[in-house]
């Protein structure tokens, strides 16, 4: 469902994403790993059609990110890093705005809200303005926004960052629950999370893919924990 | 509901969700009433709104950039632009939606000056055509300044910088057509250049609409002004949205 073809993007002299190639199928949960500044967010921003790649392209659900960005945006749910939203709006007002923009009307809107609000457990803050919410709640509102149109493809940039352990558990359970009939890309720094939710993992550093494998295969191959695997791969490559 | 309408609705609500709208309206209406009275709104003993309309460009130089500065600067500063532009909304829809919402808000502010014309109608028999054309001109003027303001709001993440730059740009647009400026320029520039500067200024076009003559060239001036600055705003945003 996601087919990335030689995606490349640089900022001035810094190459953030270099010749990225991978495919993600339905039912896959792809864990996007890498040290800070590896290009994870840049790659995700390009897939969400926020940034234009310098070269290369990708298709998502048959829509090309360069020729049909609106089609791509319609078929994905995207949670940006730090879950930006409009601080002066209430949670309800904000979700209704997203419904407006996604053309979810009438009955369908009521249904979507009834589904997504309990799913992300934000009933209790529904009428609060977003600026009064804690970081965890904001992220859950961001997640609700990404799920509201029940997209086929989910792109989540650090969805559990800033959540407490219970909330992290909830979000992981949520992702596992949806995994079967969606195609999900998750970026994270938490490696235990990868073991729990991801069916596949890609490790990138300095914009290049270093490993494309499954968490289990990595652990078996290197005979150590994922933490150590990550350290081995990203640090040896740096000195090489 | 398409992208344009959803942005328009959210933006217009946004003015009233914060104190911005109320502070703006109170200050604007106070000065819109005070300035003509200071110049003898009653003492001239004429049933007309000329004094009111004449002050508007000067008032707008400060008020319109204040309404426009948040449009994109705020969005870029707190990162919500990444949310907005990953929804199925094109950048053109977003730019036009925001611009139109702010313009509608300024239109509302203008409508709320109704006590002035109401007074005039109570006291005498003013020329309705002049008043209508005055309001049309003022609305176009607000749109012109707003397009300048939304451009500068897209240029920087800092609302204060955006305000100062757009107020300065609007000030230049108005004062370039003032007689004092024109006289000064004519001492050192050839006459046709001075004429060009005067033609590019908002003042002469606004004045001619105030006189009750709605001519194609004046309307076209404002339309070109708005389209050009809005277009530039879109280009700049496309370049800088992620920076």
């Amino acid at each position: 469902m996601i087919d990335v073809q030689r995606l490349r993007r640089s900022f001035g002299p810094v190459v953030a994403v270099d010749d990225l190639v991978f495919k993600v199928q339905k039912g896959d949960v792809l864990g996007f790993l890498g040290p800070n500044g590896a290009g994870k967010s840049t790659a995700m921003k390009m897939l969400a059609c926020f940034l234009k790649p310098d070269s290369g392209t990708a298709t998502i659900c048959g829509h090309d990110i360069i020729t049909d960005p609106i089609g791509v945006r319609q078929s994905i749910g995207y949670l940006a890093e730090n879950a930006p939203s409009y601080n002066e709006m209430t949670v309800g007002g904000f979700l209704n705005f997203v419904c407006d923009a996604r053309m979810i009307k009438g009955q369908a809107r009521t249904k979507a809200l009834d589904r997504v609000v309990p799913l992300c457990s934000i009933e209790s803050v529904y009428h609060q303005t977003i600026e009064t919410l804690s970081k965890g709640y904001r992220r859950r509102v961001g997640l609700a926004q990404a799920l509201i149109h029940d997209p086929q493809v989910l792109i989540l940039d650090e969805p559990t960052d800033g959540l407490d352990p219970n909330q992290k558990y909830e979000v992981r359970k949520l992702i596992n629950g949806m995994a079967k009939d969606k195609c999900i890309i998750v970026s994270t720094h938490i490696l235990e999370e990868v073991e729990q939710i991801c069916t596949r993992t890609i490790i990138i550093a300095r914009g290049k893919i270093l490993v494309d494998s499954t968490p289990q295969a990595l652990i078996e191959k290197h005979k150590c924990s994922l933490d150590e695997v990550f350290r081995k791969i990203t640090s040896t490559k740096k000195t090489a | 509901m398409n992208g344009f309408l959803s942005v328009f609705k959210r933006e217009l609500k946004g003015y009233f969700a914060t104190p911005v709208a109320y502070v703006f309206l109170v200050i604007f209406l106070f000065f819109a009433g005070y300035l003509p009275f200071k110049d003898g709104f009653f003492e001239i003993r004429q049933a007309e709104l000329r004094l009111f309309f004449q002050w508007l460009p000067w008032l707008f130089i400060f008020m319109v950039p204040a309404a426009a500065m948040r449009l994109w600067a705020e969005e870029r500063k707190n990162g919500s632009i990444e949310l907005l532009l990953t929804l199925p909304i094109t950048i053109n829809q977003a730019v036009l939606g925001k611009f139109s919402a702010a313009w509608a808000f300024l239109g509302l502010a203008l409508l709320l000056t109704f006590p002035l014309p109401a007074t005039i109608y109570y006291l005498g028999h003013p020329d309705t055509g002049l008043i209508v054309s005055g309001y049309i001109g003022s609305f176009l003027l607000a749109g012109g300044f707003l397009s300048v303001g939304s451009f500068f709001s897209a240029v920087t993440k800092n609302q204060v910088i955006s305000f100062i730059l757009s107020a300065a740009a609007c000030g230049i647009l108005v004062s370039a057509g003032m007689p004092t400026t024109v006289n000064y320029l004519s001492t050192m520039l050839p006459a046709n250049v001075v004429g060009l500067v005067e033609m590019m200024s908002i003042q002469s076009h606004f004045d001619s609409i105030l006189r009750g003559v709605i001519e194609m060239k004046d309307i076209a001036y404002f339309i070109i002004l708005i389209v050009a600055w809005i277009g530039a705003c879109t280009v700049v945003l496309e370049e800088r949205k992620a920076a």
Side-chain angles (χ1 to χ4, degrees):
Chain A
M1 288 174 104
I2 301 180
D3 184 3
V4 179
Q5 297 141 17
R6 313 200 61 177
L7 218 47
R8 188 187 157 90
R9 166 85 200 201
S10 53
F11 296 102
V14 183
V15 181
V17 171
D18 197 358
D19 248 356
L20 217 55
V21 181
F22 63 86
K23 278 185 185 157
V24 193
Q25 306 299 332
K26 188 171 169 178
D28 274 353
V29 180
L30 173 69
F32 224 41
L33 299 180
N36 287 328
K40 303 185 295 285
S41 292
T42 307
M44 290 175 131
K45 279 176 188 168
M46 285 193 280
L47 291 182
C49 307
F50 182 63
L51 277 180
K52 278 214 171 74
D54 291 341
S55 65
T57 185
T59 48
I60 297 179
C61 298
H63 305 283
D64 189 285
I65 59 166
I66 293 174
T67 56
D68 186 13
I70 295 298
V72 172
R73 291 173 189 175
Q74 268 159 358
S75 47
I76 66 168
Y78 175 59
L79 174 66
E81 206 177 357
N82 302 323
S85 54
Y86 293 105
N87 289 335
E88 80 279 1
M89 294 180 104
T90 64
V91 173
F94 175 65
L95 291 179
N96 272 300
F97 161 67
V98 176
C99 286
D100 278 349
R102 293 200 175 275
M103 288 189 263
I104 306 171
K105 300 177 229 179
Q107 284 267 302
R109 175 177 305 198
T110 322
K111 252 190 182 161
L113 287 173
D114 284 348
R115 180 179 60 84
V116 93
V117 170
L119 193 67
C120 302
S121 20
I122 47 174
E123 302 98 323
S124 59
V125 295
Y126 192 75
H127 297 289
Q128 251 173 276
T129 53
I130 292 173
E131 61 194 347
T132 63
L133 300 182
S134 67
K135 201 174 172 190
Y137 269 113
R138 278 182 207 210
R139 200 151 294 245
R140 281 193 265 169
V141 172
L143 206 54
Q145 164 275 127
L147 292 171
I148 202 155
H149 52 303
D150 199 15
Q152 290 292 295
V153 173
L154 268 178
I155 298 176
L156 309 173
D157 201 348
E158 302 193 0
T160 57
D161 184 42
L163 302 188
D164 68 37
N166 293 336
Q167 295 168 340
K168 274 185 187 150
Y169 173 76
E170 291 293 328
V171 170
R172 287 173 198 163
K173 209 169 75 179
L174 194 70
I175 292 175
N176 274 332
M178 294 183 300
K180 267 199 300 297
D181 38 29
K182 288 197 198 312
C183 163
I184 305 176
I185 300 185
V186 183
S187 84
T188 181
H189 284 298
I190 307 162
L191 295 165
E192 49 170 315
E193 196 162 282
V194 177
E195 281 177 80
Q196 285 170 13
I197 61 174
C198 296
T199 56
R200 238 178 92 196
T201 171
I202 284 182
I203 300 181
I204 68 172
R206 286 168 299 151
K208 287 195 167 70
I209 294 184
L210 302 180
V211 173
D212 183 352
S213 177
T214 67
Q216 281 70 31
L218 275 179
I219 293 170
E220 277 165 31
K221 185 177 157 203
H222 294 268
K223 299 201 168 43
C224 53
S225 76
L226 210 52
D227 263 317
E228 285 168 54
V229 176
F230 179 80
R231 246 192 324 271
K232 248 187 219 167
I233 292 170
T234 54
S235 56
T236 51
K237 286 283 155 65
K238 233 175 233 168
T239 49
Chain B
M1 191 176 314
N2 67 22
F4 168 79
L5 275 178
S6 55
V7 174
F8 177 84
K9 204 171 107 185
R10 198 207 74 77
E11 201 62 34
L12 199 55
K13 271 192 194 162
Y15 278 105
F16 293 94
T18 56
V20 173
Y22 305 102
V23 171
F24 181 93
L25 288 176
V26 168
I27 301 291
F28 172 74
L29 292 174
F30 171 76
F31 280 105
Y34 169 75
L35 291 171
F37 273 99
K38 182 179 77 75
D39 279 2
F41 189 58
F42 283 161
E43 284 84 345
I44 56 168
R45 302 195 144 279
Q46 279 173 23
E48 57 168 29
L49 286 176
R50 192 174 45 83
L51 282 176
F52 164 66
F53 288 127
Q54 268 176 0
W55 270 110
L56 274 182
W58 297 102
L59 193 51
F60 276 167
I61 287 176
F62 298 99
M63 296 309 279
V64 175
M69 66 181 186
R70 62 188 280 279
L71 285 178
W72 291 104
E74 191 181 36
E75 195 99 27
R76 283 181 57 207
K77 181 133 195 163
N78 69 20
S80 51
I81 189 167
E82 190 170 349
L83 174 94
L84 183 68
L85 295 179
T86 51
L87 290 170
I89 295 173
T90 63
I91 200 157
N92 289 326
Q93 287 172 339
V95 168
L96 283 178
K98 274 176 178 271
F99 173 78
S100 312
W103 204 7
F105 174 68
L106 292 175
L108 174 75
L110 274 175
L111 282 182
L112 289 178
T113 60
F114 71 88
L116 282 170
T119 311
I120 296 286
Y121 274 100
Y122 179 74
L123 293 174
H125 302 282
D127 182 342
T128 305
L130 267 185
I131 292 182
V132 170
S133 69
Y135 271 105
I136 291 175
S138 308
F139 187 57
L140 287 172
L141 181 72
F145 282 7
L146 193 61
S147 62
V148 174
S150 72
F151 170 79
F152 283 108
S153 174
V155 164
T156 167
K157 280 185 193 179
N158 187 316
Q159 295 197 31
V160 177
I161 294 177
S162 141
F163 173 81
I164 292 173
L165 288 179
S166 44
C170 294
I172 290 171
L173 274 178
V174 171
S175 61
M178 290 276 134
T180 42
T181 321
V182 173
N183 285 341
Y184 175 69
L185 287 180
S186 55
T187 59
M188 51 184 188
L189 290 173
N192 46 2
V193 177
V194 177
L196 197 69
V197 171
E198 200 180 354
M199 232 157 60
M200 303 258 277
S201 138
I202 271 195
Q203 195 64 36
S204 55
H205 300 279
F206 183 60
D207 278 346
S208 86
I209 297 180
L210 283 197
R211 281 195 295 273
V213 228
I214 298 193
E215 271 186 279
M216 197 51 220
K217 70 173 170 53
D218 298 321
I219 303 289
Y221 171 82
F222 281 105
I223 291 175
I224 292 170
L225 185 77
I226 291 172
V227 170
W229 284 97
I230 288 288
C233 172
T234 313
V235 172
V236 166
L237 265 184
E238 188 72 60
E239 278 298 306
R240 299 202 171 186
K241 60 187 178 185

